Amino acid sequence: RAAELVSQKRVTLEELFAQVGEGELTELNVILKADVQGSLEAIEDALNKIKVGDVRVRVLHKAAGAITENDVSLAQASGAVVIGFNVRPDPKARELAEKESVDIGTYQIIYKLAEDVEAALKGMLKPEFEERVLGRAVVRQTFKVPKIGLIAGSYVEEGTITRGAKVRLLRDGVVLADSQISSLKRFKDDAREVQQGYECGIGIDNFQDIKEGDVMEAYEVREIART
């Protein structure tokens, strides 16, 4: 019975329409994380203006910084969704969210964030794409290579880093760049992919401000069937 109650609290944007239609949902609880305080205030203001019928958005918790395990735990306990603006979940937060079926939505444009939340409340949100993290690598040093530019000497701590993949550069969980892996090397040789536990050199398109300790998060976006 306790497990059923916990399960009933879980909310994802895709499930909202059914709950609104059945009169089960009067508030959408949100855990809000963003890169800076100014973003938090602007997003909360936008969310507070959304009302569909008798359903409103309520921000339970907001803070600047990466999405953490504590954010996911709070969302799971309160039946909330986690929304991040220019930030990403750390690996432990992502793992817990998958385990507990907590929805995490990440955005880089405020109006798109508000638009998706309002569309979900109206029952119009139909996900067409899903994102899958391929791998994460931590930058250990940087060096310049003639005709290529800045290369990040990195250690792959999770999954696989693939040349040509989409990639985010994270610093303390905040997204600094969303680009593509243009160069991938093992020692001096070009590599198609580098797996967990190995070192590599990573170059990304149109971004040179890479520092030791930054995280490269490679990902892919796949089209999924409409439901």
Side-chain angles (χ1 to χ4, degrees), residues 11-221:
V11 180
T12 66
L13 290 179
E14 290 79 11
E15 294 168 345
L16 288 177
F17 179 52
Q19 296 189 32
V20 171
E22 294 171 7
E24 296 178 0
L25 189 68
T26 58
E27 279 185 331
L28 169 61
N29 293 327
V30 170
I31 309 299
L32 182 61
K33 300 299 290 284
D35 50 353
V36 294
Q37 187 65 32
S39 298
L40 286 171
E41 294 170 357
I43 295 165
E44 184 175 27
D45 183 60
L47 293 178
N48 285 337
K49 293 177 181 177
I50 298 173
K51 184 181 180 184
V52 177
D54 294 327
V55 184
R56 289 183 176 275
V57 179
R58 182 163 72 109
V59 177
L60 294 181
H61 171 71
K62 61 179 180 178
I67 297 166
T68 66
E69 276 186 292
N70 287 339
D71 298 321
V72 175
S73 295
L74 178 58
Q76 192 274 334
S78 56
V81 295
V82 181
I83 294 179
F85 179 77
N86 271 346
V87 295
R88 297 288 300 166
D90 62 35
K92 289 184 178 180
R94 193 171 70 242
E95 182 180 343
L96 182 62
E98 291 173 358
K99 178 182 176 183
E100 299 295 342
S101 300
V102 172
D103 195 55
I104 297 178
T106 55
Y107 295 86
Q108 292 179 281
I109 302 173
I110 292 178
Y111 83 80
K112 175 61 176 170
L113 184 162
E115 188 179 73
D116 274 6
V117 171
E118 184 171 8
L121 293 181
K122 290 179 178 178
M124 300 188 312
L125 184 63
K126 299 294 184 182
E128 299 176 84
F129 300 92
E130 68 177 3
E131 180 185 299
R132 184 170 72 94
V133 174
L134 301 174
R136 288 169 61 96
V138 178
V139 178
R140 290 185 167 176
Q141 62 179 331
T142 62
F143 47 92
K144 291 186 177 180
V145 176
K147 298 182 180 180
I148 295 179
L150 193 69
I151 295 294
S154 308
Y155 176 77
V156 183
E157 63 175 15
E158 176 186 330
T160 302
I161 301 297
T162 305
R163 187 175 69 243
K166 295 178 182 294
V167 65
R168 293 187 187 88
L169 181 78
L170 310 177
R171 186 171 298 159
D172 298 324
V174 175
V175 180
L176 296 187
D178 198 330
S179 185
Q180 186 173 25
I181 296 175
S182 57
S183 172
L184 183 64
K185 292 182 178 291
R186 275 280 293 154
F187 301 107
K188 293 184 178 181
D189 297 326
D190 289 332
R192 188 178 68 84
E193 64 179 33
V194 178
Q195 297 182 344
Q196 179 178 338
Y198 291 93
E199 294 181 335
C200 60
I202 303 172
I204 66 176
D205 285 337
N206 304 317
F207 193 79
Q208 300 289 299
D209 182 24
I210 304 172
K211 297 181 179 180
E212 182 180 337
D214 288 349
V215 173
M216 301 277 195
E217 184 178 72
Y219 69 99
E220 66 177 3
V221 178

